[in-house]
Every structure is written in C-alpha cells, then in structure tokens.
Amino acid sequence: MSPPLIVHIIYRLGVGGLENGLVNLINHGGRYRHAVVCLKDATEFRQRLPPEVPVYELHRKEGQDFGLYGRVYRLLRELRPALVHTRNLAALECQLPAWWAGVRARVHGEHGWDVFDPEGRNRKYQWLRRAYKPLVQRYIPLSRHLEDYLRERIRVPDSRITRICNGVDTAVFHPPRQGRAPIGGCPFGADGGLVLLGTVGRMHGVKDQLNLVRAFLLLLEQRPERRENLRLILVGDGPLRAEAIALLRAAGAEPLAWLPGGRGDVAAILRGLDIFVLPSQAEGISNTILEAMATGLPVVATAVGGNPELVADGLTGTLVPRQDPVALAAALARYLDDPDIRRAQGEAGLARVRERFSLDAMVRNYEAVYGQLLAAHHPTQPEGTP
C-alpha cells in the first residue's frame, strides 16, 4: 500500500525561504508521498526535488483569475490527496477548491508577511484570512510573531495552531574546514586581511538591501581607512539590485562591492563571508539566518518578525532597528576590528542551530501534524495507506 499523498500548494516554485523549507521537508521526510502545485510556475529550483515528486504549473493570470479555482479543483479530483497544505496568503484561497474536491484534511502555513503588507496590518488581508478560517483545520506559523498574529488578529484558537520553526541542513551548511573559503567568481579573494560582510536573498523592497548599502557607505565615510580591507557582498536578484549599484557608484564605492545576482551556491558563498547581515523590514523565520549560523557566522539582523527568536542578541549576533542604517553601521563597526568576537559569536550560533533548529526536528514536527489530521479525518484507514 502506498503512503498517503500530501499536495503542497504554493504561488511559485523559485528561490526563496518558503520554497527552500518545502524542498527540505520533501527531501528529508519518508512517511508520505508528495506533489507540488504552483499557482504560477516553477523555475529550475524544481530540480532540487526528487524526480518522483510531480510539480504542476497552473499559470495563474494577472489580476483576478476566477478560472484558477476550477483548475485547482480538477487537479485535486485527479490526484485525490489525503491532505492539502497551502502556504501564505497567495495560496490560501485554494482551501476552497480543496474543500470542494473532497479533501478532508487541510493545513495552511504562514511563512512570512506579504510584500504589500509587511506587518500584517492590512484590514483587507485580515478579513480574507478570517473568511477562509472555517476551511483550515490546522495553521502552521513559522514564528511566534506570526502565531500571535493568527491568534490575536485572525482569532484562530490555540487548538488549531502548531508553530514549527524551520530547520537547516547542517550537512550542507557548515563552517569552512580551514579558514574562510574563496568564493567562486568573486573578485575578493580569501586574503585574511579583508573583512567580507554580506547578505543573500531576493532583492525587493521588504528585504531592504539598500539599508545595508547605506550602512556600508556610512562605515566608509566614518572610517575611510576601511576602504583598504572592507568589502560588501550582495547575492540575489530583483529590482533593488540596480538601485544598490547606483548608490554604490554615486559614492565611488562600486569597486568595493560584489553583486553577482542570483546564485545557486549559497552554502559556498556563506563560507566565504566574515559577517552575515539581514537588513529586512519584515521577516517570518529566516532560512538565511539559520544557514549563516550553521556556517559559523555572527549575524547582524533587524529586530523584526522571527529574527529575535533566532539571533541571541549579544551572544550569536546583534539585533538593530529596521530601516536605520546609522544603527546598522554602528553594530557592524564593533565586529570589524575584533575577529575574536566574530569567532565566538559564530561558534555560539552554530551550537544554537545544532541544539534548536535541526532539520530532523522540523521534518518530525510536520509529519506529526499530518499524522494527527489524517488520523482524525481518515479514521477508517490505517496510517500509511491512501
């Protein structure tokens, strides 16, 4: 008898924290079969999934695409999953065709804030979440901040909320074996005299890489001697990339930064950094913070969303206010001249990841939720059967 089928519905399968967590769950779980439904489309990121996991693209049209409900309904009737798991607001509406299609076990995950609602205050989006609430049997927020939002703003009872933090694959993300590793294609070598600070992520508004660029330029202005050995690395693509290059160029600092666009070798890039920075305006639970900690890096991050759950301020890194390049520059300055602090906080972060954010624990927690719902809504079927 084949294991139950879990269908995951997301907006798009591309590079991102939500998608990375989904791929890790599928690749490291063993109790269920999986399929991924993309409301929009899938990129080459789909190659990280095993070949036996099907990926369906529904090519949602811009604006109102009412035909999407029918396409989701027909696909679910064909697949006949035991459970549907939607993620974030963009996929929440698919709880309705899942119910129509007779899927009795339904889960919704909240991984982070919408680009157009970075703090969850938009009343329209709150109303939409409340409207779909009767269809969702279990909510899985990734951070305490999102859990509080569901409880207080959407009025979801505690019995229907299970918070599950992301896990990180420490076999992939680990410290360099001997000192900082050179980054392929990067003009800044592994010269021990350089200090490389950087970030990884999609370059759009809520990630606010321009905050980091401004802090970097402030450091160079305050300490011009640092032009000799301080370098900035911004990995990722999006509309802010061109703006970041323009800011650096206007300040005469473009040669001191490297912006390669999107890369698929994030683990290797992190092993080439000295300090990891997450300058976001809003976050759920950041995969990149966990990956940086697993790499043994100190983390400087804005005190938003789930970041304070990950970064122990003063122990594994530093938390700063969002959209405050002056505070960010001051925090970074404390690390520049003290490799001992960088090393000590990096080691503490690595220990914290190993203790609290293992990939195995994340997979076990998801599979436990699936098992509970399947037992409740498929009581006549023994666990492990379709």
Side-chain angles (χ1 to χ4, degrees), residues 3-6 8 26 29-34 82 363 366-372 374 383-384:
L5 174 64
I6 312 295
H8 306 270
I26 293 174
R31 292 173 58 186
Y32 302 102
R33 292 180 295 131
H34 298 273
V363 172
Y366 272 106
E367 291 189 340
V369 169
Y370 296 159
Q372 291 165 11
L374 291 176
E383 187 174 345

Side-chain angles (χ1 to χ4, degrees), residues 107-361:
V107 175
H108 180 68
E110 290 286 355
H111 290 242
W113 302 113
D114 188 86
V115 172
F116 303 106
D117 184 25
E119 296 180 5
R121 294 179 179 176
N122 186 294
R123 292 187 179 275
K124 174 186 174 183
Y125 295 157
Q126 290 180 21
W127 180 88
L128 283 172
R129 285 185 167 96
R130 290 185 194 130
Y132 284 103
K133 184 172 59 173
L135 299 174
V136 181
Q137 289 148 346
R138 187 69 60 87
Y139 287 87
I140 301 180
L142 267 64
S143 70
R144 191 173 302 279
H145 193 229
L146 288 165
E147 180 182 2
D148 291 342
Y149 169 81
L150 289 172
R151 183 184 299 109
E152 296 167 8
R153 300 289 182 89
I154 313 304
R155 303 177 192 136
V156 179
D158 288 348
S159 61
R160 290 168 59 193
I161 300 175
T162 301
R163 180 165 59 93
I164 301 177
C165 288
N166 279 343
V168 60
D169 189 347
T170 53
V172 175
F173 293 91
H174 57 78
R177 306 303 182 195
Q178 293 183 342
R180 188 180 65 206
I183 301 172
C186 179
F188 315 131
D191 177 7
L194 293 178
V195 177
L196 305 185
L197 60 90
T199 193
V200 176
R202 289 172 292 187
M203 298 192 68
H204 62 69
V206 73
K207 296 299 181 181
D208 204 10
Q209 286 91 346
L210 299 185
N211 181 22
L212 175 54
V213 172
R214 294 186 177 101
F216 176 73
L217 295 177
L218 272 174
L219 281 171
L220 296 179
E221 181 182 336
Q222 294 164 356
R223 301 182 61 180
E225 73 279 5
R226 278 292 175 185
R227 297 181 71 93
E228 297 299 319
N229 69 342
L230 181 61
R231 299 293 182 267
L232 175 66
I233 293 177
L234 302 179
V235 176
D237 211 351
L240 292 188
R241 183 169 179 266
E243 294 183 49
I245 292 172
L247 277 175
L248 291 161
R249 184 175 297 149
E254 189 177 4
L256 309 182
W258 184 54
L259 292 83
R263 295 273 296 230
D265 56 342
V266 172
I269 288 170
L270 290 176
R271 284 191 283 273
L273 298 180
D274 294 293
I275 307 164
F276 181 80
V277 188
L278 193 73
S280 307
Q281 296 176 23
E283 282 290 341
I285 286 288
S286 168
N287 278 309
T288 52
I289 283 182
L290 291 174
E291 291 163 358
M293 290 167 64
T295 309
L297 293 173
V299 175
V300 180
T302 47
V304 299
N307 291 354
E309 295 179 49
L310 305 182
V311 179
D313 193 27
L315 178 64
T316 68
T318 302
L319 295 168
V320 298
R322 64 179 179 178
Q323 294 181 290
D324 190 341
V326 175
L328 180 55
L332 292 170
R334 291 193 290 271
Y335 290 91
L336 297 185
D337 298 318
D338 199 335
D340 290 337
I341 288 181
R342 298 200 300 263
R343 187 180 309 110
Q345 292 195 355
E347 291 174 354
L350 176 59
R352 185 175 172 85
V353 160
R354 287 172 173 169
E355 178 184 353
R356 298 184 55 183
F357 301 103
S358 75
L359 189 58
D360 287 344

